[in-house]
């Protein structure tokens, strides 16, 4: 067991955590990034990335995260392989304990633990992930321009994704297991009025149909009659929500109804001075790599200001 100390401790190594590390290292805070169960975050399971600024051609998600990590290390970040199992936020230095038994202490703490898309857990879903099955229309919708797509879900996320996909497809189908939507009424009205969207009510996904060439359809079961059917499609978007990785902080930081960490509007500041949250762990609206990176930058800048003020007050005595 060892104790690692730093001016900036970062939990999570996706775009938010690594951007915070880059800015923190350049400010001389010698940040430590504890990488967690999924080093690199959700982009490591994303193949084609076409909407991250600065790249003319399609790039690969894992490659982008390798480059971000290399940049963070190049400017002075220490990357440590561990999974945090417990945190103490009662005062600075903030303390985290890893699965390894190592202890991490930071004068500031940046939480960048991200969120995971919820999946249906039906046959074919993981096998066809990236081959027609996706959990992010804004990430992957462009690849289905002019093709037939379906969206699975009935809440705000599903309706928003179905509406977004009409920018690329004239044949969008929303599949919902009930006979009414849970989305906000204004979203429902827009969806139901859209000429390029149809809804299949009372249909649950039994499995995804396809093979080596990719997805070809979605096998459905009627939740009322039990009747089976197949909806042919080129792309299927699972939109049943996200689960933010906030278990560590329950009871220690405020979370909203969806489980996301609550921050001061327009900032990454939590209710505890010196503790910042960035990326998908606090963002249930945008959930993009570029917005995660942006809030990671904000967290590092705010952490630097927090420490500068603290040092100034200490020098005054």
């Amino acid at each position: 067991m060892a104790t690692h100390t730093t001016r900036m401790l970062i939990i999570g190594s996706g775009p938010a955590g690594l951007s915070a590390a880059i800015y923190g290292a350049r400010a001389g805070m010698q940040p430590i990034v504890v990488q967690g169960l999924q080093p690199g975050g959700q982009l490591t399971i994303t193949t084609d990335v076409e909407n991250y600024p600065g790249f003319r051609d399609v790039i690969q998600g894992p490659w982008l995260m390798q480059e971000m990590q290399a940049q963070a290390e190049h400017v002075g970040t220490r990357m440590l392989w561990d999974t945090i199992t417990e945190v103490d936020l009662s005062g600075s230095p903030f303390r985290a304990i890893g699965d390894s038994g190592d202890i991490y202490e930071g004068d500031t703490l940046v939480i960048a633990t991200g969120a995971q898309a919820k999946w249906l857990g039906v046959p074919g879903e993981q096998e066809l992930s990236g081959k027609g099955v996706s959990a992010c229309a804004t990430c992957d919708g462009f690849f289905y321009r002019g093709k037939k797509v379906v969206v699975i879900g009935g809440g705000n996320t599903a309706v928003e994704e179905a509406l977004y996909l009409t920018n690329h497809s004239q044949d969008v189908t929303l599949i919902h297991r009930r006979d009414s939507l849970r989305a906000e009424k204004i979203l429902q009205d827009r969806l139901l009025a859209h000429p390029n969207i149809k809804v299949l009510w009372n249909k649950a996904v039994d499995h995804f149909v396809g093979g080596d060439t990719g997805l070809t359809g979605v096998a459905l079961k009627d939740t009322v009659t039990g009747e089976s059917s197949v909806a042919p499609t080129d792309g299927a978007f699972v939109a049943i929500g996200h689960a933010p990785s906030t278990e560590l902080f329950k009871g220690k930081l405020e979370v909203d109804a969806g489980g996301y960490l609550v921050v001061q509007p327009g900032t990454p500041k939590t209710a505890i001075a010196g503790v910042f949250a960035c990326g998908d762990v606090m963002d249930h609206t945008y959930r993009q790599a570029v917005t995660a990176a942006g809030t990671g930058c904000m967290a590092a800048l705010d952490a630097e200001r927090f420490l500068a003020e603290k040092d100034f007050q200490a020098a005054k005595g």
Side-chain angles (χ1 to χ4, degrees):
M1 291 189 298
T3 299
H4 309 273
T5 60
T6 176
R7 300 223 80 189
M8 178 192 284
L9 175 61
I10 302 167
I11 305 176
S13 55
L18 292 178
S19 296
I22 290 165
Y23 275 81
R26 285 172 53 82
M29 290 189 281
Q30 299 179 311
I32 287 175
V33 172
V34 184
Q35 302 200 64
L37 285 172
Q38 190 177 12
Q42 291 186 78
L43 272 184
T44 59
I45 57 170
T46 302
T47 50
D48 294 344
V49 175
E50 202 168 23
N51 56 6
Y52 198 86
F55 301 96
R56 177 185 322 187
D57 298 318
V58 175
I59 58 173
Q60 300 298 299
W63 175 85
L64 178 60
M65 296 321 300
Q66 288 171 11
E67 291 298 300
M68 278 195 191
Q69 178 175 329
Q71 184 181 3
E73 290 177 306
H74 177 71
V75 291
T77 300
R78 281 186 287 166
M79 306 292 300
L80 297 178
W81 295 79
D82 207 346
T83 301
I84 300 301
T85 58
E86 186 180 339
V87 293
D88 180 358
L89 308 183
S90 58
S92 181
F94 304 105
R95 187 179 174 95
I97 300 172
D99 187 56
S100 66
D102 283 10
I103 294 169
Y104 305 87
E105 293 183 342
D107 295 332
T108 58
L109 174 64
V110 174
I111 301 167
T113 48
Q116 300 293 326
K118 294 178 182 176
W119 294 96
L120 296 167
V122 300
E125 185 173 50
Q126 294 307 311
E127 293 83 351
L128 291 166
S129 178
K131 299 177 182 177
V133 177
S134 170
C136 182
T138 48
C139 308
D140 300 329
F142 178 83
F143 300 111
Y144 299 91
R145 183 173 289 275
K147 297 183 178 180
K148 184 180 180 65
V149 295
V150 302
V151 177
I152 300 148
N156 283 356
T157 299
V159 173
E160 287 169 351
E161 298 225 326
L163 289 165
Y164 171 81
L165 285 167
T166 60
N167 294 316
H168 304 297
S169 169
Q170 292 185 324
D171 191 344
V172 180
T173 300
L174 183 74
I175 298 170
H176 187 40
R177 60 170 40 247
R178 298 183 177 86
D179 61 2
S180 61
L181 299 171
R182 292 175 286 109
E184 295 170 12
K185 188 174 186 306
I186 189 169
L187 287 174
Q188 292 191 42
D189 291 345
R190 287 176 58 201
L191 178 108
L192 296 173
H194 203 291
N196 295 335
I197 301 176
K198 64 176 180 285
V199 181
L200 293 180
W201 303 104
N202 298 316
K203 297 289 190 292
V205 175
D206 185 73
H207 62 275
F208 291 94
V209 182
D212 293 339
T213 58
L215 181 76
T216 58
V218 180
L220 305 172
K221 190 168 187 177
D222 193 290
T223 56
V224 176
T225 67
E227 180 184 355
S228 296
S229 61
V230 175
T233 190
D234 300 301
F237 295 87
V238 179
I240 56 174
H242 286 72
S245 301
T246 53
E247 283 301 316
L248 271 176
F249 310 103
K250 295 285 176 66
K252 298 174 181 179
L253 287 170
E254 184 184 356
V255 296
D256 65 15
Y260 292 82
L261 291 179
V262 173
V263 293
Q264 296 176 28
T267 80
K269 298 175 183 177
T270 71
I272 298 177
V275 177
F276 307 91
C278 55
D280 287 9
V281 76
M282 49 71 80
D283 172 20
H284 52 71
T285 304
Y286 301 104
R287 294 194 302 267
Q288 299 296 300
V290 67
T291 51
T295 56
C297 162
M298 292 161 64
L301 294 175
D302 282 346
E304 181 185 4
R305 292 180 185 122
F306 171 82
L307 289 176
E309 176 66 21
K310 189 176 178 182
D311 292 344
F312 177 72
Q313 294 298 336
K316 284 174 59 178

